[in-house]
Structures are given as C-alpha cells and as structure tokens.
Amino acid sequence: MNVDAAVAAAAAIAGLCTGVIAMLAFRWSERDQARPTRSSLHTDAVLPPGVDTVLSVLRSSAVVLDEADAVVKASSAAYALGLVRGGKLAVEPMLQMARDTRRDGEIRQVELDLPRRGTGRGEALAVSARVAPLGSRLVLLLVEDLTEARRIEAVRRDFVANVSHELKTPVGALSLLSEAVMDAAEDPEAVHRFAGRMQIEATRLTNLVQELIDLSRVQNDDPLEDSEPVRVDELVAEAIDRCRHQAGAKQITMAAGGTADLHVWGSRGQLAAALGNLVENAVNYSPARTRVGIAARHITAPGGDLIEIAVTDQGIGISEKDRERIFERFYRVDPARSRATGGTGLGLAIVKHVAASHGGEVTVWSAEGQGSTFTLRLPEAGAVRDRDPYSDHTLLEPHESMTSFPDDSLPAREVRP
C-alpha cells in the first residue's frame, strides 16, 4: 500500500508540474503574439481609425513612419516623387525631421529642393514638407509639390520686370523728346523732327499696350465660349489686309494659295489675331521686293483631321539657338531690328497661346539667310465642311498685291495643296 501511495503521489506531482508548465507556455505564447513586430507594423491595423481614408483623399504626398523609421503607409504620389524607396523614406532631411518629431512631439515644416527622378539635367523639385506625430508611435509626413507654383511665380516676376522695362523705354523717350521740343521752340525744323520721333514712340507705346491686352485676353478667355466655324480664307484675307500698307511700303508681294473651303472651329477674333501676327512678322522681317506666302491645306492626323496654315517669307531667318525661344514673351532675335520695326516681342507669344487654347500648335522652320516658315495647325471643323459646302474657287480673290506662287518658285518648305 505504501508503495502504491508513493507512486500515486509522484504521478500527481508530475501531472501538476506538467499543467503548470503548459499554462506558463500558453501565457508566454500569448504575450509573444501580442508583442508588435516589424511585419505587424506594416499593416493597416496599426493606423488609428479613419486615418487611412483621410490619407487616400489628400492631395499632398503622405507617408506614415513607425518607431523604427519603416514606412507603414505611403500614397502613390509619395512613390511618384521618389520619397519612398524599398520601404524606407529616401530623403534624409525629412527622415531626420521625423525622428526629431517622434522624440519631442513638435510639428515641423521645411521647404526643400529635391533632385528630379529620371533626369540628368540637374532639375530640382521644390517641395514643402510638414511632419506631425500620429498617436504615440507613428509619425505623419505630408509633402506638397511647389515646383509648378514656383515656376508660375518666376514667370510672373519676369513678366512684370519685362513689362516695366518695355513701358519705361517709350515713356522715357517721350519725356526726353518733349523737353527737346520745348528747348527748340524757336526752330521749326527741329520741332518737326522731334514731333515725328514722338509720334513713333507714341505708336510703339500704343502697340505695346494693345498687345499686352491681347495677351491677357487670350490667356484668360476660354475660346470655346464663343466658338464658331471660321473659314480659313477669310482669316487669310483679313491678315493680308492688315499688313497691306507695310508690304506696299517695302514692295513686298503677298500671295495666298492652298486648298479652298477649309474651316476651323474656335474664336474668330483670336484666330485672326494669331494669323495676323504671323503675317505681320513675315513682312517686317523680310527685305524689300521679296515675297510672303500664305498657304492652307487639310491634313489627316491620328487624333483627328487638322488644318495647316503656313506663312513663308524670304527674310533673314532665325538661328537654331533662337528658334527655341522665339515664342517666349518679350524675346527678340534682333532687338535693334525690333525697335526699328516697332516689334514688342509679344506677337509670337500670342500665337502660341491661341494655338494651344484651340487644341493646336505652332511650329517654325527656318535657316539663316533663307527665310522662315511658321505653321499653325488647328483642329478642323469637319462637320461644317460637310453640311455647308462651297463651290470651288480660289482661296482669295486676286488683286494687285497678291498673286499665287508659281510652282517652280515655291521653296521646298512651302506647304503645297
């Protein structure tokens, strides 16, 4: 009996020890499972309720970091800007801000210039980064891309500076000439000469103000609000009439040709101003007794049929380095010649804005000493052409200062029907 009792007692003790060990192991397992791991921090469950939804609708690039600086959540914009790579925040200044905010709980903000991904030209992204604590362990980073805003602000500053300079020149000249007229009051010949110069400067000032108004209008107005089908031959005729006096003074022949009965869709006033600027430039920069041609044709393009209007001159041409900048506001290839012709440097900028707002483009071919061809491409108003056909006729009625180019006189760059 004593032996059996001893065996039973030993078994009871062994069973009790096994139960205790099993209970301790179970509790240890629960504690280990509850302990946060690096992988568990990368799930949405660690984010406070509603944060994920808020981050998904923010326009800013958003990144949430855990206590080990690993990325818990990042928006697609953050990846696009190159802020996150390989599950880590790739911008060291932002990472240091996040660590400082995690340590003291203070909100921090800084503006940085970041290298643009995929370019080797040293271009930079201007961003504003704001870091704030999110709960007890997480840090929220919000990044705004300021690149476009900086570019617009720089353009605005340059525009104001250029306008100030351009306005100051004729105003200053008028002031000096008026003083000269007063000093030469007893000399009729000098007064006449100075008055003529004053008239030239006043005309230049008037043209500059008008082109500033035109540029502001094409930038701010929506051409679709007052769009209508516009006949190309009417635009060409209006452009030629606008430059008839200047062309006659230099004995320049203006010729129109191409395909008849073409239509574009848009604002008639803006389109007339754009084509008029191209023809006026061609006349102003062409030598005397040369020819300016305007030709229109229909072309088929993948995105839809286009109308192509080319203005060709036999002028001084444009160098390759200048061709990249001629559509900038106030840029002049030859400032001295622009002063002589009264050019403001805004005409081609207006053409560019009109073409873009109508869904088209303007391009240039040029060679120094051989002349230039500016080509305006605009979407065709095909429905108008289909329902409102006109009988065949030449693009414009012939007149004394306008003849068609003979086929053998067309330069290779001339747009042919």
Side-chain angles (χ1 to χ4, degrees):
M1 290 294 296
N2 293 334
V3 175
D4 293 338
V7 172
I13 293 173
L16 179 62
C17 291
T18 301
V20 171
I21 292 173
M23 183 178 63
L24 292 175
F26 177 74
R27 291 186 175 179
W28 182 268
S29 176
E30 282 188 330
R31 179 191 297 178
D32 188 62
Q33 290 179 6
R35 181 180 303 155
T37 61
R38 180 177 294 264
S39 60
S40 68
L41 287 173
H42 285 260
T43 64
D44 292 341
V46 300
L47 292 175
V51 172
D52 193 14
T53 303
V54 172
L55 295 183
S56 66
V57 298
L58 285 177
R59 296 181 61 183
S60 306
S61 302
V63 180
V64 179
L65 303 176
D66 64 11
E67 55 193 0
D69 291 334
V71 176
V72 176
K73 181 74 177 179
S75 64
S76 58
Y79 286 99
L81 287 178
L83 304 179
V84 178
R85 298 176 190 172
K88 292 287 188 180
L89 186 61
V91 183
E92 184 60 33
M94 295 182 186
L95 185 59
Q96 187 58 48
M97 286 174 57
R99 291 169 179 169
D100 295 340
T101 296
R102 187 186 299 112
R103 184 182 65 252
D104 55 26
E106 292 186 4
I107 298 175
R108 289 175 168 81
Q109 184 168 351
V110 69
E111 292 188 1
L112 300 170
D113 291 331
L114 306 179
R116 189 187 296 269
R117 296 181 65 184
T119 61
R121 297 176 302 200
E123 296 181 352
L125 287 171
V127 298
S128 173
R130 185 178 180 87
V131 180
L134 186 64
S136 59
R137 295 179 302 170
L138 304 180
V139 173
L140 173 63
L141 171 67
L142 296 177
V143 180
E144 288 281 351
D145 187 356
L146 305 178
T147 307
E148 184 65 15
R150 291 269 188 90
R151 187 191 68 80
I152 293 174
E153 182 61 29
V155 169
R156 184 180 294 111
R157 286 197 305 269
D158 292 343
F159 182 72
V160 171
N162 287 329
V163 168
S164 301
H165 174 74
E166 295 295 332
L167 289 174
K168 187 185 300 182
T169 302
V171 170
L174 287 172
S175 176
L176 292 175
L177 288 169
S178 64
E179 293 179 4
V181 168
M182 294 178 64
D183 293 339
E186 304 300 328
D187 186 351
E189 182 179 351
V191 169
H192 185 270
R193 184 174 66 254
F194 291 142
R197 291 290 307 276
M198 291 178 68
Q199 189 174 16
I200 293 174
E201 294 298 333
T203 301
R204 179 183 176 189
L205 182 59
T206 301
N207 292 338
L208 176 58
V209 172
Q210 183 59 51
E211 291 205 340
L212 285 172
I213 295 172
D214 292 341
L215 180 60
S216 176
R217 181 179 295 117
V218 300
Q219 285 181 315
N220 296 326
D221 290 353
D222 182 3
L224 299 180
E225 291 182 356
D226 57 349
S227 293
E228 60 178 328
V230 181
R231 290 185 56 176
V232 174
D233 54 354
E234 293 178 356
L235 294 177
V236 174
E238 187 173 336
I240 290 177
D241 287 339
R242 168 178 168 177
C243 303
R244 190 187 308 277
H245 177 72
Q246 298 97 305
K250 299 173 68 174
Q251 300 180 10
I252 292 176
T253 300
M254 292 188 290
T259 306
D261 299 336
L262 298 179
H263 298 78
V264 292
W265 186 266
S267 169
R268 179 183 179 85
Q270 291 190 16
L271 294 173
L275 185 58
N277 284 343
L278 291 181
V279 176
E280 187 175 17
N281 268 12
V283 171
N284 287 337
Y285 288 91
S286 293
R289 293 179 293 279
T290 56
R291 179 172 295 191
V292 171
I294 307 99
R297 68 171 182 172
H298 169 270
I299 61 174
T300 301
D305 291 351
L306 300 175
I307 301 300
E308 192 174 80
I309 309 171
V311 178
T312 302
D313 64 58
Q314 299 170 317
I316 59 176
I318 306 169
S319 66
E320 183 177 357
K321 66 180 182 67
D322 289 320
R323 285 199 297 271
E324 299 179 357
R325 300 191 59 190
I326 56 175
F327 294 103
E328 295 179 11
R329 288 171 291 191
F330 296 110
Y331 184 79
R332 298 183 179 90
V333 174
D334 186 352
R337 187 178 182 89
S338 294
R339 284 192 294 270
T341 60
T344 63
L346 290 175
L348 292 179
I350 293 173
V351 176
K352 178 181 177 181
H353 281 288
V354 170
S357 65
H358 283 75
E361 64 173 352
V362 59
T363 58
V364 59
W365 179 98
S366 186
E368 291 184 274
Q370 299 183 35
S372 306
T373 295
F374 286 84
T375 303
L376 185 63
R377 296 185 182 91
L378 299 166
E380 181 193 25
V384 176
R385 186 183 62 177
D386 293 340
R387 69 172 181 265
D388 187 25
Y390 291 88
S391 58
D392 289 338
H393 56 78
T394 56
L395 188 63
L396 291 173
E397 295 297 328
H399 53 75
E400 295 180 356
S401 63
M402 186 195 319
T403 60
S404 298
F405 279 134
D407 289 343
D408 58 355
S409 69
L410 282 172
R413 62 186 182 276
E414 181 70 27
V415 177
R416 295 178 182 270

